[in-house]
């Protein structure tokens, strides 16, 4: 039985790398529609890796392998433009892709480890992927009512998109995983994540949004 578990986890690693690199190569195709389009496609689609993690991995060590590798790879990509489809370009000073992988790593270690509840991490990651990602797409293409908070420039259209997308993805995830409470957590976390995204600069929202959202879900609605 132990060997079966190991093989299942190894299969998860293989499937994970195939999926993530598949997303990156798909984004290369999307570069013809603009660099920001390709970047946000990676941002949104990579968060679905968490669903694979929930299917394949049974320990925090196995779950952490893929994000740990991408902390390293994303930093190399940031420095040397290895994956141009997910980088803003040299000189931007934005480590957002590295922070993204760090959030995945931290939540994988905690959710699959001491919490033994991958849904907690999933809430944070899905809000970051879909909420933050779609907010950037809408805010860039249809920049209605720009505003600035704590040095962070945002748009009302982007923030509203963040609110709605975060609410929907949380609602769907919690309902699909059989959580007892769905509506109130979805509303609460959507408002919290939207506020965090609005005030966090320099790609740091890839840390604040998933980590704080997951923590809030756990401490308010799980324990």
């Amino acid at each position: 039985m132990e060997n079966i578990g190991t093989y299942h986890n190894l299969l998860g690693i293989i499937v994970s790398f195939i999926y993530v690199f598949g997303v990156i190569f798909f984004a290369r195709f999307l570069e013809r529609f603009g660099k920001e389009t390709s970047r946000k496609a990676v941002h949104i689609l990579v968060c679905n890796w968490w669903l694979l993690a929930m299917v394949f991995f049974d320990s925090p060590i196995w779950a952490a392998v893929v994000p740990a590798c991408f902390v390293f790879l994303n930093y190399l990509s940031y420095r040397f433009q290895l994956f141009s489809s997910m980088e803003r370009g040299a000189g931007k000073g934005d480590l957002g892709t590295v922070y993204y992988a760090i959030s995945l790593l931290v939540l994988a270690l905690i959710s699959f480890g001491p919490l033994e509840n991958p849904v907690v991490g999933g809430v944070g990651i899905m809000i970051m992927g879909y909420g933050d990602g779609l907010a950037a797409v809408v805010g860039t293409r249809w920049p209605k009512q720009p505003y600035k908070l704590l040095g962070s420039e945002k748009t009302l259209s982007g923030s509203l998109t963040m609110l709605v997308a975060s609410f929907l993805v949380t609602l769907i995830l919690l309902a699909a995983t059989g959580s007892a409470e769905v509506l109130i957590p979805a509303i609460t976390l959507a408002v919290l994540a939207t506020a965090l995204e609005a005030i966090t600069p320099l790609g740091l929202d890839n840390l604040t949004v998933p980590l704080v959202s997951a923590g809030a879900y756990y401490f308010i609605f799980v324990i």
Side-chain angles (χ1 to χ4, degrees), residues 134-216:
L134 291 173
V137 171
V138 172
T140 300
R141 285 188 177 275
W142 300 282
K144 304 296 184 182
Q145 300 296 320
Y147 65 93
K148 181 181 288 189
L149 284 176
L150 303 179
S152 182
E153 296 183 1
K154 303 294 179 180
T155 63
L156 182 60
S157 54
S159 293
L160 287 175
T161 301
M162 176 76 180
L163 183 68
V164 173
S166 298
F167 169 75
L168 289 176
V169 75
T170 303
L171 190 75
I172 292 169
L173 177 64
L174 295 182
T177 53
S179 299
E181 289 187 277
V182 174
L183 185 60
I184 299 302
I187 294 172
T188 303
L189 297 177
V191 171
L192 173 63
T194 301
L196 288 168
E197 194 271 341
I199 65 175
T200 309
L202 299 176
L204 287 167
D205 53 350
N206 285 347
L207 287 174
T208 59
V209 169
L211 297 180
V212 176
S213 296

Side-chain angles (χ1 to χ4, degrees), residues 2-61:
E2 183 176 345
N3 287 337
I4 293 176
T6 299
Y7 293 144
H8 195 254
N9 284 292
L10 286 172
L11 178 61
I13 298 293
I14 295 170
V15 172
S16 294
F17 277 110
I18 290 173
Y19 176 73
V20 176
F21 279 112
V23 168
I24 293 172
F25 284 116
F26 173 65
R28 289 285 301 271
F29 167 78
L30 294 179
E31 280 192 83
R32 68 186 64 186
F33 302 106
K35 178 61 72 70
E36 194 64 16
T37 299
S38 67
R39 285 186 67 252
K40 289 308 172 184
V42 173
H43 185 98
I44 293 168
L45 294 175
V46 164
C47 79
N48 294 325
W49 169 80
W50 195 269
L51 303 178
L52 294 176
M54 292 174 67
V55 170
F56 285 102
F57 301 131
D58 58 14
S59 79
I61 301 303

Side-chain angles (χ1 to χ4, degrees), residues 67-90:
C69 288
F70 276 95
V71 170
F72 177 69
L73 289 174
N74 287 3
Y75 181 73
L76 290 180
S77 180
Y78 164 77
R79 287 293 304 275
F80 305 110
Q81 300 296 296
L82 300 181
F83 307 124
S84 61
S85 57
M86 68 181 196
E87 302 295 341
R88 281 201 169 103

